[in-house]
Amino acid sequence: MQVKPNFPFVLHGGDYNPEQWPIETWDEDVRLMQRAGWNIATLPVFGWGNLQLGENEWNFTWLDQVIEKLHSGGIRLCLATGTAATPPWIDQAYPDILRTDSKGVKRRHGGRHTCCPHSPNFARLSTGLATKMAERYGSHPALLLWHISNEYGETCYCNLCAEAFRSWLKVRYGTLAELNFRWNMAFWGQTYTDWSQIEPPVENAQRNFQGLLIDYDRFQSESLHNQCLAEMEVLRRITPQIPITTNFMGTFKPLDYHKWAPDLDIISWDSYPARNATPSQIALRHSLMRGLKDGQPWMLMEQTPSQQNWQSYNSLKRPGVMRLWSYQAMAHGADAVMYFQWRRSPGAQEMLHGAVVEHAGREDARVFKEVAALGAELARIEKVTLGGRVKTDVAFLFDWENWWAVEYSSGPSVDLKYIKVMETLYSALFDLGIVADVVSPNSDLSGYRLIVAPALKMVKPGVAESIKAAVQGGASFITTFFSGITDATDRAFTNGYPGPLSDLLGIWVEESDALAQDDRNGLHFSDQSESQCSLLCDRIQLQGAEAIAHYTKDFYAGEPAITVFPYGEGAAFYLGTLPDRAGLKSVFRSAIRRSGVTMPHGISVPKDVEITERVSELGSLLYILNHNSNEVEILLPARNYRSVIDDAVVNHTLTLPAYGVAILTTEV
Amino acid sequence: MQVKPNFPFVLHGGDYNPEQWPIETWDEDVRLMQRAGWNIATLPVFGWGNLQLGENEWNFTWLDQVIEKLHSGGIRLCLATGTAATPPWIDQAYPDILRTDSKGVKRRHGGRHTCCPHSPNFARLSTGLATKMAERYGSHPALLLWHISNEYGETCYCNLCAEAFRSWLKVRYGTLAELNFRWNMAFWGQTYTDWSQIEPPVENAQRNFQGLLIDYDRFQSESLHNQCLAEMEVLRRITPQIPITTNFMGTFKPLDYHKWAPDLDIISWDSYPARNATPSQIALRHSLMRGLKDGQPWMLMEQTPSQQNWQSYNSLKRPGVMRLWSYQAMAHGADAVMYFQWRRSPGAQEMLHGAVVEHAGREDARVFKEVAALGAELARIEKVTLGGRVKTDVAFLFDWENWWAVEYSSGPSVDLKYIKVMETLYSALFDLGIVADVVSPNSDLSGYRLIVAPALKMVKPGVAESIKAAVQGGASFITTFFSGITDATDRAFTNGYPGPLSDLLGIWVEESDALAQDDRNGLHFSDQSESQCSLLCDRIQLQGAEAIAHYTKDFYAGEPAITVFPYGEGAAFYLGTLPDRAGLKSVFRSAIRRSGVTMPHGISVPKDVEITERVSELGSLLYILNHNSNEVEILLPARNYRSVIDDAVVNHTLTLPAYGVAILTTEV
Amino acid sequence: MQVKPNFPFVLHGGDYNPEQWPIETWDEDVRLMQRAGWNIATLPVFGWGNLQLGENEWNFTWLDQVIEKLHSGGIRLCLATGTAATPPWIDQAYPDILRTDSKGVKRRHGGRHTCCPHSPNFARLSTGLATKMAERYGSHPALLLWHISNEYGETCYCNLCAEAFRSWLKVRYGTLAELNFRWNMAFWGQTYTDWSQIEPPVENAQRNFQGLLIDYDRFQSESLHNQCLAEMEVLRRITPQIPITTNFMGTFKPLDYHKWAPDLDIISWDSYPARNATPSQIALRHSLMRGLKDGQPWMLMEQTPSQQNWQSYNSLKRPGVMRLWSYQAMAHGADAVMYFQWRRSPGAQEMLHGAVVEHAGREDARVFKEVAALGAELARIEKVTLGGRVKTDVAFLFDWENWWAVEYSSGPSVDLKYIKVMETLYSALFDLGIVADVVSPNSDLSGYRLIVAPALKMVKPGVAESIKAAVQGGASFITTFFSGITDATDRAFTNGYPGPLSDLLGIWVEESDALAQDDRNGLHFSDQSESQCSLLCDRIQLQGAEAIAHYTKDFYAGEPAITVFPYGEGAAFYLGTLPDRAGLKSVFRSAIRRSGVTMPHGISVPKDVEITERVSELGSLLYILNHNSNEVEILLPARNYRSVIDDAVVNHTLTLPAYGVAILTTEV
């Protein structure tokens, strides 16, 4: 039974690792947190090694002290179960805990993400610590939510996993004959005659069967999920009223977050855009995380106040960018703006990671001042912003299993990367000022006017039906090359590509030509415009569909490249190739026009200005974000808006400085 | 005792993997094969796992059925022994079968090429399967030839191999003292005092002695060869009248095909040119494979009908290119045009490999139609084309042991790659319209007018003598930098480079300067023309030879770069550097002029038009291939030709469309 | 107790490996050595395998013979202990000798650098061989010095090392609590509770703690040092009067030569500049090696006469370059010019390494003639050149531990490489005609007028104090970005960067922006000149210092980029970024002007002409080296010089041909 989080304020705080500092620092920490407008601290994420010193040896004294200081200072708690990294003595005592890597080599102690998800000793010890934490602090008045472990990930290939994998496969397939058929083990005569012959796909073993590889990923994602659930059960039993999260990592390949999300009370994630990330790349990930729990508000659990030590170049976030990106998260549904971490570590690997407080500990530093200013600002506006839901009628379909299927594929092109295709299409829509949800193909699609499914190679049962129903009802659907190739076990459809989507799209894709990295074909659109295209060029046979663009070069010059097929009340578009940005926008505009999708309040925005709308019972808020390093002007509809941040009335024109943000309400 | 293959038609067919498909598909397969003009199917290449289910458990039912269906449909059989990949139960039961990789790590089950060539269990089981196959199908009327295993390769470094290697070395060297001397083990004081100290050269062991490395490659090539011979003995015993092949892979480094070829009845190979392969690169490999058995007709065992899933970019073969490349194989001596594979796999790694029948199974697909058209065409002309031998008086010397010696060498340049040098020289000759055999330095050279030996670092006993005899008799000889450096054990010649070729060439190479990738020197030819050169610049001391080109730059400006020395009735050319294409062609022209080499029928061809002549007892055929994507015209001598394919008379001018082919005979 | 080497001549000779050649060659070798002007031969560096054939089986006959031949020919001996590579039988009998690599994999026999520094069997056997060598040849009249092992290096991660490491740590830290604090093991909860939990940092173990990583490097450097000391003790006991060296490798990362140097009697090193090395890169390394023993003359133990087989491109040393680089070593304090090796190996990995005698064995080869000419020249001038010390009042601080600390750091930039920064600053000074010593930060700095400390991240106890004392006394000090970040255990200073150097520099570095590879900011100098800068841009808060350059771009445009602070009689400069060459030279000029540094004899040199001064009791010699491939003219002060090499008087103008060298004395 889940808990509905109902935070009293926009969370502003982050990771706090007091155990790395002497006790003298803790009072100063609380004083500075207050100055920084922090209302929450996350700890002890990596506390295990300093809490449990032996099988029956515990030391909670330091944590008790820290928690009291925070509580006295008015700082609430995001309490970690502390199981994110095992202490040396545990790995030494219970070597079954250490996972085996993809080369088949067992790890030694050290680092994070080192435990096998099927280790019984890890299960016993981690739930043991979670129990201690819940029993000791579960009724503490400062406790706001639980944070299980940290950034789950990494795959294990040990014998414990092998055994569990075989059991998992027996349940999934029932018989070896069925498994042999689904994975096509007759290929290279690799047919199994006994379950015991199945091994995890380590690098010098069986890597030639996508069915096996994808299932191993499913199994490992589920295994870590079960590891998380084991701690969750402890917490739910002892503190049924406290909401629970674990921090996700956006487009993180190994974990199928769609499977994890239903068990969490609130989604949280760690956003670390690269130095040169585009606004739409960040927006895509926020939208994906928001879509995990049906649009429910979520937490920005970690962002760096300034630098990331593990990037190639630790560039500074420019003045205003941390604030801008914080509001971008809120614009996409976040009710929490949190940082990693409070104070720069005095040593070890993250010594140079950005932090609110630098080594010098000074509050007159630029970064500290920006954090403090944002804290104060959020405190002023949080009553209005809390709880709204992002309004959109566009859905992008995103599927982890499809990601694996696309990228385990041998062919058609080394440049075909699922996230890259997703980003390219998403950013074209972003340019048009449209916000989209990014959701599972298995989610309820009935509310959407436009559904986009890039490179949907794997079409699982029910998905084609659900898309068709939406299009039947008037929605537009857009899909691309390398869609409708295989079923859920990655066996090819033998009724012609794009398989179960063929009748919806009114086409047959006979073959697909891969273009080398710098190669281009041309597109001639029916409105006479011209574009370039790249990556793949499908040779499409029309079976009812109409071509809206044709190739201009090579032996398939003049053949259909992009098609549309009216279906029910709606229409289905097929991109047989990857158009350039102008071409993509042209197709999106057609689909938008047909399906009646509109921009928030109909406001048209300049390049790299983002606009979203969040709606709550208090009304509607427009978030307008200027991602440009120069001032912009936005023309508003002819009604009065109030700017929430500076409490000013805005008419006709909104002027935003470089990296500026406005939150507008019509409640003037 | 070998069998002389005498096929009744040009083989047109290929790999067929019915075990990946339900029984319902098999009848449709035969129907479509007939439509495609197939007359042969290769199977069961990877059948082991579905034929032998346990030590004494066999299932031939499905194969019996398939074979009967093919036979009824008029399709002949290229029967594989089926031993190309071991089934899971075998690897599980007999782990000695799994080979150890170059890091010293034992493989786990999975994939192909996984067995140790010295595993007694593999020997027992593989010959067991071969015996079953031969006994069951050896007298089947549809059986045309045997296909042993598949694409042999991969090296093993296990203890079984180590033991066998020591025995092999004892035979080769007799005494440890001799081995220590040949490998120069005194270097770094690594002198062996007992045979047991010799280990396979895994990556973290002894890799500093080229003598050891080359011998290990010789030993492994011979070990796999013996593995092949073991199956061959079974087949020869049971079906002495059926010819035998195993499919080679062109310029495949690990196997010394010159050693393998004598045991096969017919050479077959798998040609998978890269997307951007040049015609001469393909021609070089065909010529190498043809040269393995003294020009005897051979089989194109595999080519893709369209795409290769394992290339970076799975580009489509353009319309006409599959036909063109099929005829190119025939132009170089093939009497078989075969494909991999019949139907696209429904799953697993080769799901996207090109096939005659795509997943949709439609016969109106472009690729199917091109295959069927070629099948019909071949059936029409095969009586005329069968059995001819390619006519040429030019030989390129190619030696696997030299390849290893060149590339194990530490210095003189990371850019010095044997195949690259070979291709560069071969393509210059190709441009001049000349066809060459590519043969072992140990083959009979007496019939050739021009002998080219690129980068012949290792000069084995007898080779210098045989070349000198040919030149004495009037042939031209061309060799290059990095020739005549070492003997068969890779010990340096101490009488000055190019060692035993020095007196033939009339020079001493004092030292050799390596040029970085983008560096160039200039060449000034005695005819006053200028070229550029790269890679290496030998400093040559003339000892009788005459310089035909001098360097134009650096401290050796004005010194000889390319030389010629009259020797007996002939002449010997030395390229002290790698000239650009114009420079190379200039040298080749000189050599051709001196030795009287001519183009087939004296026809001069435009760029990227290839011409070869095959001669049989029926007469002579000219193959003229237009590798260009545009139409070309070729001027013919003043006599009448008949075009075999379209049965038309051709006078004066032959017009070939893009990718077009003509086969001309003077039998009008 | 050390020996002061007092060689009677400039050593001219090198590595001699007679065991790779038949006895017939040895007489010819001696004859040719005499022709080449050799007066010393180094052997038997890799003799172990041919000297000790079993536990108690020895064969010194061949070495006796060779030594007698050399001695009779007047060639002196640099006798190696011969322990540089273990013979096969030893590795076979005592596998504990083979080291474990950074992946945790134990090596197999083969190659060099394969022994664990804590192997008891290696200790016993290597000192056993050293004892035999010393006893047999220690009183031989030809013996000039000892050469222990060869090019020490490589790290071991085996269990013997693990155990020794724990003991070493106990001594270093006393308590686990102290170690946990110093390494900040509370990070990720990795606190040790028992010494036995500490493991060597193999790649799949604990790599997240720089404290651990740096200490492991310290430990391994010290371990190999102890291995060397074990042989040294044997030699000192038996031949107390013979000086001892081992050959170093310049900027070789694993070994802290500052710790090794005090035990050696004379420094020697192997100089192998890359094809495109700049003169200042070579000079930097000579200066570093010279600085190891306080400027005492040293030996160029190895250089190639021409090619290096292990470079990507084995380019020839241009005529004159070998001579130029030999004199460059002497210009920087060398009293020995030696080669690797005498004769090209007849086989194995170094078959193509440059040698005085090529495979052909001819004395009319260019390389041989250049060596012989140099030998004759040196013999003529050696009485004058021997024993001088290089005169300079500039010091560059170089620290191996700091190197490790800079490069184990996660952040701020992948482009931040210690040697690269060092080279960039050193070459700017080189351009100004200034010679510098390169010394440890812990050395006596009191004599220097200018002290440069690039990227001095780790400031160890006493260093700040010693620099301050020098500046107090009038010296200039220059340091850069990424200085003063951590203490000797790599814990961050928490009083603000640059830590203990802050008050000396009068600044606080608030934050540091990393620029991507091609990014640049601009610098505006107070003299109105402009430059570009890259790599890092510190944001500097002035605390007394004055800005001498400001940034011109980005949000910190106008902020200080380069500062100076008067301190005592001197001044301290801070480079918050990496200026381009013009900018660097501008800063150096300021510092030089303030501190009164001058060029040798005040002579101003053209680009890539190098000038140094060596002073002995015989007087002062100016070495003037033209690194250009064209002739140059140098204006001399108005006094008479004598050119030592050609014994000519030089007035006003010195003309040097391409790659030319002059040694001038005022003793006319």
Side-chain angles (χ1 to χ4, degrees), chain A residues 538-664:
Chain A
D538 284 353
R539 292 193 54 237
I540 300 170
Q541 304 290 348
L542 300 179
Q543 301 190 328
E546 174 196 348
I548 58 175
H550 295 86
Y551 296 111
T552 63
K553 292 201 297 194
D554 219 315
F555 75 91
Y556 39 85
E559 292 185 4
I562 304 175
T563 62
V564 63
F565 187 49
Y567 187 95
E569 303 294 308
F573 293 76
Y574 184 79
L575 300 171
T577 183
L578 186 64
D580 59 19
R581 179 159 292 223
L584 271 177
K585 283 162 75 170
S586 163
V587 177
F588 273 118
R589 265 193 223 97
S590 298
I592 287 167
R593 216 177 300 122
R594 277 195 185 241
S595 54
V597 171
T598 54
M599 285 162 289
H601 287 210
I603 297 170
S604 165
V605 287
K607 184 162 163 47
D608 283 337
V609 172
E610 187 178 7
I611 180 164
T612 76
E613 183 172 9
R614 280 182 78 177
V615 181
S616 72
E617 49 206 21
L618 297 177
S620 151
L621 292 181
L622 287 182
Y623 287 76
I624 308 183
L625 312 158
N626 179 16
H627 291 283
N628 297 286
S629 55
N630 52 271
E631 188 183 280
V632 295
E633 295 211 331
I634 297 116
L635 292 180
L636 299 176
R639 55 166 142 159
N640 285 340
Y641 290 94
R642 186 167 58 80
S643 163
V644 170
I645 296 176
D646 51 9
D647 201 17
V649 174
V650 184
N651 278 318
H652 302 104
T653 302
L654 173 69
T655 302
L656 287 177
Y659 307 130
V661 174
I663 305 176
L664 303 186

Side-chain angles (χ1 to χ4, degrees), chain B residues 482-493:
Chain B
F482 215 53
S483 293
I485 309 292
T486 58
D487 66 17
T489 61
D490 210 44
R491 274 186 74 91
F493 294 120

Side-chain angles (χ1 to χ4, degrees), chain C residues 99-102 107 111-117 150-157 161 216-217 219-225 227 249 252-255 257 260:
Chain C
R99 68 182 177 82
T100 294
D101 70 18
S102 65
R107 266 201 67 92
R112 307 185 293 164
H113 308 306
T114 60
C115 67
C116 162
N150 186 62
E151 294 185 346
Y152 277 99
E154 298 296 344
T155 303
C156 180
Y157 297 84
C161 284
Y216 201 75
D217 284 354
F219 162 73
Q220 280 285 319
S221 174
E222 187 176 318
S223 299
L224 282 169
H225 183 197
Q227 200 180 69
M249 290 182 284
F252 180 68
K253 197 170 177 183
L255 301 188
Y257 289 145
W260 287 54

Side-chain angles (χ1 to χ4, degrees), chain B residues 115-119 122-123 152-156 160-165 168 215-230 254-256 259-260:
Chain B
C115 67
C116 162
H118 291 281
S119 156
F122 184 82
Y152 277 98
E154 297 297 341
T155 302
C156 179
L160 291 171
C161 285
E163 205 47 64
F165 183 46
W168 186 90
D215 273 345
Y216 201 75
D217 285 355
R218 285 175 172 133
F219 162 73
Q220 281 284 317
S221 173
E222 187 177 318
S223 299
L224 283 168
H225 183 197
N226 286 334
Q227 200 180 70
C228 179
L229 285 176
L255 301 188
D256 184 349
K259 298 282 194 336
W260 289 52

Side-chain angles (χ1 to χ4, degrees), chain C residues 386-581:
Chain C
L386 272 173
R389 290 188 164 235
V390 174
K391 195 175 151 189
T392 172
D393 42 17
V394 179
F396 266 65
L397 306 189
F398 186 102
D399 183 14
W400 267 268
E401 299 184 343
N402 182 55
W403 186 357
W404 305 331
V406 166
E407 296 186 7
Y408 281 132
S409 181
S410 175
S413 166
V414 292
D415 295 341
L416 178 60
K417 299 290 176 197
Y418 186 55
I419 299 299
K420 188 88 179 64
V421 174
M422 188 70 59
E423 287 181 341
T424 305
L425 269 72
Y426 191 92
S427 80
L429 198 70
F430 182 95
D431 275 5
L432 296 171
I434 307 283
V435 179
D437 284 344
V438 179
V439 298
S440 160
N442 292 105
S443 58
D444 177 7
L445 304 176
S446 59
Y448 293 107
R449 302 293 307 152
L450 171 60
I451 299 162
V452 186
L456 192 66
K457 177 194 183 193
M458 177 184 276
V459 181
K460 290 184 282 193
V463 170
E465 294 71 11
S466 145
I467 296 169
K468 286 174 190 171
V471 182
Q472 197 80 49
S476 284
F477 173 66
I478 301 179
T479 190
T480 71
F481 51 84
F482 215 54
S483 293
I485 309 291
T486 58
D487 66 17
T489 61
D490 210 43
R491 274 186 73 92
F493 294 122
T494 50
N495 59 340
Y497 316 135
L501 301 173
S502 301
D503 59 334
L504 169 62
L505 293 156
I507 57 168
W508 169 47
V509 176
E510 183 187 333
E511 55 186 348
S512 186
D513 193 27
L515 270 55
Q517 194 147 38
D518 296 326
D519 287 354
R520 295 287 179 277
N521 205 314
L523 292 174
H524 183 87
F525 280 83
S526 34
D527 67 0
Q528 310 308 323
S529 66
E530 304 270 342
S531 282
Q532 287 200 308
C533 63
S534 59
L535 195 62
L536 292 172
C537 289
D538 284 353
R539 292 194 54 239
I540 300 169
Q541 305 289 349
L542 301 179
Q543 299 190 329
E546 172 196 349
I548 59 175
H550 295 85
Y551 296 111
T552 63
K553 293 202 296 195
D554 218 319
F555 75 91
Y556 40 84
E559 293 185 4
I562 304 174
T563 63
V564 63
F565 188 50
Y567 187 94
E569 302 295 308
F573 293 78
Y574 185 79
L575 300 171
T577 183
L578 186 63
D580 59 18
R581 180 160 292 224

